[in-house]
Amino acid sequence: MRKNLLTRSVAVLSGVAMLTALAACGDNTAAPTGDNASSTTSGEAISGEFKGAGASSQQAAVEAWVAGYTAQNPDAQIGYDPSGSGAGVSTFLTGATAWAGSDAALSTEEVEQSKSVCANGTSAFDIPVYISPIAVVFNLEGISGEGKTLNMDASTLAKIFDGKITTWNDPAIQDQNPDVELPDTPITVVHRSDKSGTTKNFLSYFVDAAPNDWQYELGENWPNEVGQGAKGTSGVISTVQQADGTIGYADASQAGQLGTVAVKVGDEYVAYSAEAAAKVVDASPADETATEPNRVVVKLDHNTTEAGAYPIVLVSYDIACPAYEDANTAKFVKSWLTYVVSEEGQQTAADAAGNAPLSDTMREKVMASIDAIETE
C-alpha cells in the first residue's frame, strides 16, 4: 500500500493563481504574454496566461503538471484555482477559464450550456486525467495513524455516514475487527460542505454496493444532516485531524497520517492503493449515457469481486472545448492536455500525488478526443 502520499508545495502556482483579469465570456482565454515560446509535446509554440479551476482532488497533480509543463514552455503562465468540481465547472461555463477539473462527468444540462462558450456550435467534452482511490479517513486515539487500518464492509460504512451507527465499538465495526479493542467514542462524520465530485464518487459506492442502507438520490451535494461539513478536500482532512472520533472521505493523496478503512471486496478486505484503484477502472465499462462527441466517461463497477481491487475510486476529468474563439487558447489546451495524459505527465502526477497513471488503452481513447481540438 502506497503511503506518505505527498502534497506538493503550492509555490508553483502562487504567483499565477490570481491573474489580472477574467477572459471575455465565451473566449475561455487570457492575452498572450510573450513572443518567444518553446515547443510543447505536440510541437506547437505556446505563450500566454491561461486559467483553470475545479477539483481540489487534482491539486497536487496539477501543481506537478504545471511545473513540468512550464519547464518545457517558460512563456506559458498557468493558474489553477482548486475551488471544487462544481465551482470549477460553473466558472468554465461562463467562459472565464480555458479548462475545468471535475470529479464528476458533465451532466446533460452542462453539456448543452457549454455550447454558449465553445466555438463553432460545439459542446464541451470530458476525459479522465486523474485516477485515485478515495480514502475513508478516521482519527481515533490509540487506533489511527500512518499505515493503520480498520476493516469495514459497504453496509457498515453506509450506516455510519447515515448516522445509524454512532459509536466506534458498535458490533458492526467490532465484529469485522476482532483483534482491535475499539472504544465507545462517539463517531463524528465529516463531509464536504461544497458541491463536490468527490462526494458524488464516494456516495455512488453506497448506491451500488449498499442500496438497502443508502436511500438518498445521488448528487454532488451531501444529502443528509449527519455530521459536519467542511469545504474542499483540505477542509475535510483538517477537520478530521482536529478531533478524536472523526471519520470522513478524501482523495487518498491527502490522507497523510490519518487511519484509513480497508473495504470488503468479496471475501477479503482491501486497503487503498493506486494499483488497487487501477484494477477497478480498467475492469469498468464506458458510461453509455455520455453519447456526445469526444466524451470519455467511465462507469465504475463498485460491486467488483476482483482480488486486490479497491472499489471506492475517484475518476477525475478535465473538461475542455473542441473549439475555442481564441486560437492561442485552443493551442494551449490541446498542448496542455497532451502533456497531462502523456506517460511523462501521468508519472509526474503519480510521483506527486500517488494516483494511478492512465493505462495505454485509456490514453489511446482520450488522445483521440484531444487530437480533435481545432487549433486553426
Side-chain angles (χ1 to χ4, degrees):
M1 179 172 62
R2 188 188 296 263
K3 290 296 176 184
N4 290 323
L5 300 175
L6 300 178
T7 301
R8 289 283 180 90
S9 167
V10 299
V12 173
L13 294 183
S14 61
V16 295
M18 298 300 295
L19 298 176
T20 57
L22 292 178
C25 183
D27 286 348
N28 295 75
T29 183
T33 59
D35 297 324
N36 300 317
S38 65
S39 295
T40 69
T41 52
S42 61
E44 294 287 350
I46 301 297
S47 65
E49 296 179 349
F50 306 97
K51 300 184 294 293
S56 58
S57 60
Q58 289 189 29
Q59 183 174 356
V62 173
E63 289 165 3
W65 285 328
V66 169
Y69 185 86
T70 55
Q72 300 175 21
N73 301 273
D75 291 321
Q77 293 180 285
I78 305 168
Y80 183 76
D81 179 9
S83 54
S85 298
V89 172
S90 295
T91 302
F92 173 80
L93 291 175
T94 69
T97 54
W99 90 98
S102 177
D103 297 338
L106 292 167
S107 67
T108 300
E109 181 181 2
E110 288 167 341
V111 172
E112 183 64 27
Q113 289 175 358
S114 71
K115 292 180 180 179
S116 66
V117 296
C118 296
N120 302 337
T122 60
S123 58
F125 65 91
D126 30 20
I127 55 171
V129 298
Y130 180 83
I131 297 169
S132 178
I134 297 174
V136 182
V137 294
F138 67 91
N139 183 7
L140 189 59
E141 186 176 353
I143 307 295
S144 60
E146 182 183 355
K148 302 292 184 64
T149 62
L150 286 176
N151 297 331
M152 297 189 201
D153 57 21
S155 174
T156 300
L157 282 169
K159 290 176 181 176
I160 288 172
F161 281 90
D162 198 22
K164 296 172 182 173
I165 293 177
T166 58
T167 60
W168 281 98
N169 65 347
D170 187 283
I173 306 174
Q174 187 67 76
D175 290 350
Q176 295 178 78
N177 298 275
D179 298 329
V180 181
E181 186 176 348
L182 292 166
D184 62 357
T185 305
I187 296 174
T188 300
V189 168
V190 181
H191 57 80
R192 290 283 290 268
S193 61
D194 51 327
K195 186 177 180 181
S196 165
T198 305
T199 294
K200 185 175 182 179
N201 277 270
F202 178 60
L203 297 184
S204 66
Y205 169 67
F206 293 160
V207 170
D208 293 343
N212 294 329
D213 300 302
W214 193 261
Q215 303 296 318
Y216 303 99
E217 184 176 346
L218 183 61
E220 294 179 83
N221 294 308
W222 189 254
N224 61 32
E225 300 300 320
V226 176
Q228 61 186 89
K231 185 176 181 180
T233 302
S234 60
V236 170
I237 292 296
S238 176
T239 303
V240 172
Q241 290 173 333
Q242 289 172 12
D244 185 32
T246 49
I247 188 170
Y249 58 94
D251 181 81
S253 66
Q254 298 193 41
Q257 304 296 312
L258 293 168
T260 60
V261 172
V263 178
K264 192 171 186 181
V265 176
D267 295 326
E268 65 175 339
Y269 291 92
V270 181
Y272 80 82
S273 70
E275 293 78 13
K279 284 188 176 184
V280 172
V281 173
D282 283 346
S284 297
D287 187 340
E288 295 181 353
T289 66
T291 58
E292 294 84 1
N294 303 315
R295 299 186 69 193
V296 182
V297 179
V298 178
K299 185 174 178 60
L300 289 170
D301 181 8
H302 293 112
N303 288 307
T304 183
T305 58
E306 183 175 350
Y310 182 84
I312 313 179
V313 175
L314 179 150
V315 178
S316 198
Y317 299 85
D318 272 1
I319 296 165
C321 288
Y324 290 81
E325 295 292 344
D326 180 78
N328 196 50
T329 300
K331 289 178 181 179
F332 162 72
V333 171
K334 190 169 189 174
S335 170
W336 166 253
L337 293 180
T338 296
Y339 172 76
V340 164
V341 306
S342 70
E343 289 188 39
E344 177 186 348
Q346 288 290 297
Q347 190 57 54
T348 295
D351 291 342
N355 57 292
L358 296 177
S359 66
D360 291 339
T361 300
M362 183 62 73
R363 181 179 295 105
E364 183 178 355
K365 292 178 181 178
V366 301
M367 276 307 304
S369 301
I370 297 169
D371 287 340
I373 297 175
E374 301 172 17
T375 57
E376 295 181 358

